[in-house]
Short mmCIF file of all heavy atoms in Angstrom, two decimals:
data_model
loop_
_atom_site.label_atom_id
_atom_site.label_comp_id
_atom_site.label_asym_id
_atom_site.label_seq_id
_atom_site.Cartn_x
_atom_site.Cartn_y
_atom_site.Cartn_z
N PHE A 8 66.39 141.82 -67.43
CA PHE A 8 67.75 142.36 -67.36
C PHE A 8 67.78 143.57 -66.45
O PHE A 8 66.84 144.36 -66.42
CB PHE A 8 68.22 142.80 -68.75
CG PHE A 8 68.26 141.71 -69.77
CD1 PHE A 8 67.31 141.63 -70.77
CD2 PHE A 8 69.28 140.76 -69.75
CE1 PHE A 8 67.35 140.63 -71.73
CE2 PHE A 8 69.34 139.75 -70.70
CZ PHE A 8 68.36 139.69 -71.69
N THR A 9 68.88 143.73 -65.74
CA THR A 9 69.13 144.95 -64.99
C THR A 9 70.64 145.15 -64.94
O THR A 9 71.39 144.17 -64.88
CB THR A 9 68.52 144.92 -63.57
OG1 THR A 9 68.66 146.22 -62.98
CG2 THR A 9 69.18 143.90 -62.67
N GLY A 10 71.06 146.40 -65.01
CA GLY A 10 72.50 146.64 -64.96
C GLY A 10 72.83 148.11 -64.95
O GLY A 10 71.97 148.97 -65.16
N HIS A 11 74.09 148.37 -64.72
CA HIS A 11 74.57 149.74 -64.63
C HIS A 11 74.48 150.45 -65.98
O HIS A 11 74.56 149.83 -67.04
CB HIS A 11 76.01 149.76 -64.13
CG HIS A 11 76.19 149.06 -62.82
ND1 HIS A 11 75.52 149.44 -61.67
CD2 HIS A 11 76.95 147.99 -62.47
CE1 HIS A 11 75.87 148.64 -60.68
NE2 HIS A 11 76.74 147.76 -61.13
N ARG A 12 74.34 151.74 -65.92
CA ARG A 12 74.28 152.55 -67.13
C ARG A 12 75.65 152.73 -67.79
O ARG A 12 75.74 152.97 -68.97
CB ARG A 12 73.65 153.91 -66.82
CG ARG A 12 72.15 153.79 -66.62
CD ARG A 12 71.49 155.12 -66.30
NE ARG A 12 70.05 154.99 -66.26
CZ ARG A 12 69.36 154.48 -65.25
NH1 ARG A 12 69.99 154.02 -64.20
NH2 ARG A 12 68.05 154.40 -65.30
N ARG A 13 76.69 152.60 -66.99
CA ARG A 13 78.04 152.74 -67.53
C ARG A 13 78.75 151.39 -67.50
O ARG A 13 78.80 150.72 -66.46
CB ARG A 13 78.84 153.75 -66.72
CG ARG A 13 78.35 155.17 -66.95
CD ARG A 13 79.36 156.19 -66.39
NE ARG A 13 79.01 157.52 -66.80
CZ ARG A 13 78.18 158.31 -66.12
NH1 ARG A 13 77.61 157.90 -65.02
NH2 ARG A 13 77.93 159.53 -66.56
N ILE A 14 79.30 151.03 -68.65
CA ILE A 14 80.12 149.83 -68.75
C ILE A 14 81.50 150.33 -69.19
O ILE A 14 81.63 150.99 -70.23
CB ILE A 14 79.56 148.83 -69.79
CG1 ILE A 14 78.13 148.43 -69.41
CG2 ILE A 14 80.47 147.61 -69.90
CD1 ILE A 14 77.42 147.60 -70.47
N ALA A 15 82.51 149.99 -68.42
CA ALA A 15 83.87 150.43 -68.75
C ALA A 15 84.27 149.92 -70.12
O ALA A 15 84.00 148.75 -70.46
CB ALA A 15 84.85 149.93 -67.70
N LYS A 16 84.88 150.78 -70.92
CA LYS A 16 85.31 150.38 -72.27
C LYS A 16 86.19 149.13 -72.22
O LYS A 16 86.11 148.28 -73.10
CB LYS A 16 86.05 151.52 -72.94
CG LYS A 16 85.14 152.64 -73.37
CD LYS A 16 85.91 153.76 -74.06
CE LYS A 16 84.97 154.91 -74.37
NZ LYS A 16 85.65 156.03 -74.98
N SER A 17 87.02 149.03 -71.18
CA SER A 17 87.92 147.88 -71.05
C SER A 17 87.18 146.57 -70.79
O SER A 17 87.73 145.49 -71.02
CB SER A 17 88.93 148.13 -69.92
OG SER A 17 88.25 148.29 -68.68
N LYS A 18 85.93 146.65 -70.33
CA LYS A 18 85.15 145.45 -70.02
C LYS A 18 84.03 145.19 -71.02
O LYS A 18 83.39 144.13 -70.98
CB LYS A 18 84.53 145.58 -68.62
CG LYS A 18 85.52 145.58 -67.49
CD LYS A 18 84.83 145.49 -66.17
CE LYS A 18 84.70 144.01 -65.85
NZ LYS A 18 84.14 143.75 -64.53
N TYR A 19 83.77 146.12 -71.91
CA TYR A 19 82.59 146.05 -72.78
C TYR A 19 82.54 144.76 -73.60
O TYR A 19 81.53 144.06 -73.62
CB TYR A 19 82.52 147.28 -73.69
CG TYR A 19 81.24 147.36 -74.47
CD1 TYR A 19 80.10 147.92 -73.92
CD2 TYR A 19 81.16 146.84 -75.76
CE1 TYR A 19 78.91 147.98 -74.62
CE2 TYR A 19 79.97 146.89 -76.48
CZ TYR A 19 78.85 147.46 -75.90
OH TYR A 19 77.68 147.49 -76.61
N SER A 20 83.64 144.42 -74.28
CA SER A 20 83.64 143.22 -75.12
C SER A 20 83.41 141.95 -74.31
O SER A 20 82.69 141.05 -74.74
CB SER A 20 84.97 143.11 -75.89
OG SER A 20 85.06 144.14 -76.84
N GLU A 21 84.03 141.89 -73.13
CA GLU A 21 83.87 140.73 -72.26
C GLU A 21 82.43 140.61 -71.78
O GLU A 21 81.84 139.52 -71.80
CB GLU A 21 84.82 140.86 -71.07
CG GLU A 21 84.68 139.75 -70.05
CD GLU A 21 85.49 140.01 -68.78
OE1 GLU A 21 86.22 141.01 -68.71
OE2 GLU A 21 85.35 139.20 -67.86
N ILE A 22 81.84 141.72 -71.36
CA ILE A 22 80.45 141.71 -70.88
C ILE A 22 79.51 141.32 -72.02
O ILE A 22 78.60 140.49 -71.85
CB ILE A 22 80.06 143.09 -70.29
CG1 ILE A 22 80.91 143.41 -69.06
CG2 ILE A 22 78.57 143.17 -69.96
CD1 ILE A 22 80.80 142.43 -67.92
N LYS A 23 79.74 141.87 -73.20
CA LYS A 23 78.90 141.55 -74.36
C LYS A 23 78.98 140.06 -74.70
O LYS A 23 77.97 139.42 -74.96
CB LYS A 23 79.34 142.40 -75.56
CG LYS A 23 78.48 142.21 -76.78
CD LYS A 23 78.90 143.14 -77.90
CE LYS A 23 78.05 142.93 -79.13
NZ LYS A 23 78.46 143.81 -80.24
N SER A 24 80.18 139.51 -74.68
CA SER A 24 80.37 138.09 -74.98
C SER A 24 79.68 137.20 -73.94
O SER A 24 78.99 136.24 -74.28
CB SER A 24 81.87 137.78 -75.04
OG SER A 24 82.08 136.41 -75.22
N LYS A 25 79.86 137.52 -72.66
CA LYS A 25 79.22 136.75 -71.59
C LYS A 25 77.70 136.86 -71.68
O LYS A 25 76.98 135.88 -71.47
CB LYS A 25 79.69 137.23 -70.22
CG LYS A 25 81.08 136.80 -69.86
CD LYS A 25 81.45 137.31 -68.47
CE LYS A 25 82.83 136.91 -68.06
NZ LYS A 25 83.18 137.41 -66.72
N LEU A 26 77.21 138.04 -72.02
CA LEU A 26 75.77 138.25 -72.15
C LEU A 26 75.21 137.37 -73.27
O LEU A 26 74.19 136.69 -73.10
CB LEU A 26 75.47 139.73 -72.42
CG LEU A 26 74.01 140.09 -72.66
CD1 LEU A 26 73.15 139.78 -71.43
CD2 LEU A 26 73.90 141.57 -73.02
N LYS A 27 75.89 137.36 -74.42
CA LYS A 27 75.43 136.55 -75.55
C LYS A 27 75.38 135.07 -75.17
O LYS A 27 74.38 134.40 -75.41
CB LYS A 27 76.34 136.77 -76.76
CG LYS A 27 75.88 136.01 -78.00
CD LYS A 27 76.74 136.36 -79.20
CE LYS A 27 76.19 135.70 -80.45
NZ LYS A 27 76.96 136.11 -81.65
N ALA A 46 66.80 151.48 -70.33
CA ALA A 46 67.77 152.49 -69.88
C ALA A 46 69.04 152.42 -70.74
O ALA A 46 69.27 151.47 -71.48
CB ALA A 46 68.11 152.28 -68.41
N LEU A 47 69.87 153.42 -70.59
CA LEU A 47 71.17 153.43 -71.24
C LEU A 47 72.06 152.36 -70.62
O LEU A 47 71.78 151.85 -69.54
CB LEU A 47 71.83 154.80 -71.08
CG LEU A 47 71.11 155.98 -71.72
CD1 LEU A 47 71.74 157.29 -71.29
CD2 LEU A 47 71.13 155.85 -73.24
N GLY A 48 73.12 152.00 -71.29
CA GLY A 48 74.08 151.06 -70.74
C GLY A 48 73.67 149.62 -70.93
O GLY A 48 73.36 149.19 -72.05
N PHE A 49 73.65 148.87 -69.83
CA PHE A 49 73.41 147.43 -69.92
C PHE A 49 72.04 147.10 -70.49
O PHE A 49 71.91 146.14 -71.26
CB PHE A 49 73.60 146.77 -68.55
CG PHE A 49 73.50 145.28 -68.61
CD1 PHE A 49 74.52 144.53 -69.19
CD2 PHE A 49 72.40 144.61 -68.10
CE1 PHE A 49 74.43 143.14 -69.27
CE2 PHE A 49 72.30 143.23 -68.16
CZ PHE A 49 73.31 142.49 -68.74
N ASP A 50 71.01 147.83 -70.13
CA ASP A 50 69.67 147.58 -70.69
C ASP A 50 69.70 147.65 -72.21
O ASP A 50 69.11 146.80 -72.90
CB ASP A 50 68.65 148.61 -70.18
CG ASP A 50 68.09 148.30 -68.80
OD1 ASP A 50 68.62 147.39 -68.13
OD2 ASP A 50 67.14 148.98 -68.40
N THR A 51 70.36 148.66 -72.73
CA THR A 51 70.45 148.83 -74.18
C THR A 51 71.23 147.67 -74.81
O THR A 51 70.80 147.09 -75.81
CB THR A 51 71.11 150.18 -74.53
OG1 THR A 51 70.25 151.23 -74.05
CG2 THR A 51 71.31 150.35 -76.02
N LEU A 52 72.36 147.33 -74.22
CA LEU A 52 73.17 146.22 -74.72
C LEU A 52 72.37 144.92 -74.72
O LEU A 52 72.38 144.17 -75.71
CB LEU A 52 74.44 146.07 -73.88
CG LEU A 52 75.35 144.90 -74.23
CD1 LEU A 52 75.89 145.02 -75.66
CD2 LEU A 52 76.51 144.82 -73.23
N ALA A 53 71.67 144.65 -73.64
CA ALA A 53 70.88 143.43 -73.54
C ALA A 53 69.77 143.39 -74.59
O ALA A 53 69.56 142.37 -75.26
CB ALA A 53 70.29 143.29 -72.14
N ALA A 54 69.07 144.50 -74.76
CA ALA A 54 68.00 144.56 -75.76
C ALA A 54 68.56 144.35 -77.16
O ALA A 54 67.99 143.60 -77.97
CB ALA A 54 67.26 145.89 -75.67
N GLN A 55 69.67 144.98 -77.47
CA GLN A 55 70.30 144.81 -78.79
C GLN A 55 70.73 143.37 -79.00
O GLN A 55 70.59 142.83 -80.11
CB GLN A 55 71.49 145.75 -78.93
CG GLN A 55 71.10 147.20 -79.08
CD GLN A 55 72.31 148.13 -79.06
OE1 GLN A 55 73.23 147.97 -78.26
NE2 GLN A 55 72.29 149.11 -79.95
N MET A 56 71.23 142.72 -77.95
CA MET A 56 71.67 141.33 -78.08
C MET A 56 70.49 140.41 -78.34
O MET A 56 70.56 139.49 -79.17
CB MET A 56 72.43 140.90 -76.82
CG MET A 56 73.02 139.50 -76.92
SD MET A 56 74.17 139.29 -78.32
CE MET A 56 75.47 140.41 -77.83
N VAL A 127 69.10 138.44 -65.32
CA VAL A 127 70.47 138.56 -65.80
C VAL A 127 70.90 139.99 -65.53
O VAL A 127 70.22 140.94 -65.95
CB VAL A 127 70.60 138.22 -67.30
CG1 VAL A 127 71.99 138.52 -67.81
CG2 VAL A 127 70.24 136.75 -67.54
N CYS A 128 72.01 140.13 -64.82
CA CYS A 128 72.43 141.47 -64.43
C CYS A 128 73.89 141.73 -64.77
O CYS A 128 74.67 140.79 -64.99
CB CYS A 128 72.19 141.70 -62.94
SG CYS A 128 73.20 140.67 -61.85
N TYR A 129 74.20 143.00 -64.79
CA TYR A 129 75.59 143.47 -64.81
C TYR A 129 75.71 144.33 -63.57
O TYR A 129 75.28 145.47 -63.55
CB TYR A 129 75.89 144.25 -66.08
CG TYR A 129 77.20 145.01 -66.00
CD1 TYR A 129 78.40 144.35 -65.80
CD2 TYR A 129 77.22 146.39 -66.12
CE1 TYR A 129 79.59 145.05 -65.71
CE2 TYR A 129 78.41 147.11 -66.03
CZ TYR A 129 79.59 146.43 -65.83
OH TYR A 129 80.77 147.12 -65.73
N LYS A 130 76.25 143.73 -62.49
CA LYS A 130 76.33 144.42 -61.20
C LYS A 130 77.74 144.29 -60.66
O LYS A 130 78.23 143.19 -60.44
CB LYS A 130 75.33 143.81 -60.21
CG LYS A 130 75.31 144.49 -58.85
CD LYS A 130 74.32 143.85 -57.90
CE LYS A 130 74.87 142.71 -57.13
NZ LYS A 130 75.80 143.02 -56.06
N ASN A 131 78.38 145.44 -60.45
CA ASN A 131 79.74 145.41 -59.90
C ASN A 131 79.89 146.30 -58.66
O ASN A 131 80.99 146.56 -58.22
CB ASN A 131 80.78 145.78 -60.96
CG ASN A 131 80.55 147.15 -61.56
OD1 ASN A 131 79.83 147.98 -61.00
ND2 ASN A 131 81.13 147.39 -62.72
N LYS A 132 78.75 146.77 -58.13
CA LYS A 132 78.77 147.50 -56.87
C LYS A 132 77.46 147.25 -56.15
O LYS A 132 76.46 146.86 -56.77
CB LYS A 132 79.03 149.00 -57.08
CG LYS A 132 78.08 149.68 -58.04
CD LYS A 132 78.50 151.12 -58.31
CE LYS A 132 77.60 151.73 -59.35
NZ LYS A 132 77.95 153.09 -59.68
N THR A 137 70.62 149.23 -59.67
CA THR A 137 70.89 147.85 -60.07
C THR A 137 71.01 146.95 -58.85
O THR A 137 70.40 145.88 -58.80
CB THR A 137 72.17 147.77 -60.92
OG1 THR A 137 71.95 148.52 -62.12
CG2 THR A 137 72.53 146.34 -61.27
N ASN A 153 74.93 137.02 -62.91
CA ASN A 153 75.69 138.27 -63.05
C ASN A 153 76.78 138.07 -64.10
O ASN A 153 77.69 137.26 -63.90
CB ASN A 153 76.29 138.66 -61.71
CG ASN A 153 76.90 140.06 -61.74
OD1 ASN A 153 77.01 140.68 -62.78
ND2 ASN A 153 77.29 140.54 -60.58
N VAL A 154 76.69 138.80 -65.20
CA VAL A 154 77.67 138.66 -66.28
C VAL A 154 78.96 139.40 -65.98
O VAL A 154 79.89 139.40 -66.79
CB VAL A 154 77.11 139.10 -67.66
CG1 VAL A 154 75.95 138.20 -68.08
CG2 VAL A 154 76.68 140.55 -67.65
N ASP A 155 79.06 139.98 -64.80
CA ASP A 155 80.31 140.66 -64.40
C ASP A 155 81.30 139.67 -63.79
O ASP A 155 82.43 140.04 -63.50
CB ASP A 155 80.03 141.80 -63.42
CG ASP A 155 81.26 142.69 -63.22
OD1 ASP A 155 81.91 143.03 -64.23
OD2 ASP A 155 81.57 143.02 -62.07
#
Side-chain angles (χ1 to χ4, degrees):
F8 299 106
T9 188
H11 304 301
R12 285 180 174 78
R13 289 193 171 88
I14 302 172
K16 287 181 185 178
S17 61
K18 293 189 90 175
Y19 187 84
S20 292
E21 177 188 356
I22 297 300
K23 184 176 179 181
S24 175
K25 285 181 180 180
L26 177 62
K27 183 175 185 176
L47 297 170
F49 186 72
D50 278 10
T51 296
L52 176 62
Q55 289 173 317
M56 185 58 65
V127 173
C128 66
Y129 167 60
K130 182 180 88 73
N131 58 18
K132 55 186 175 181
T137 297
N153 189 352
V154 296
D155 191 45

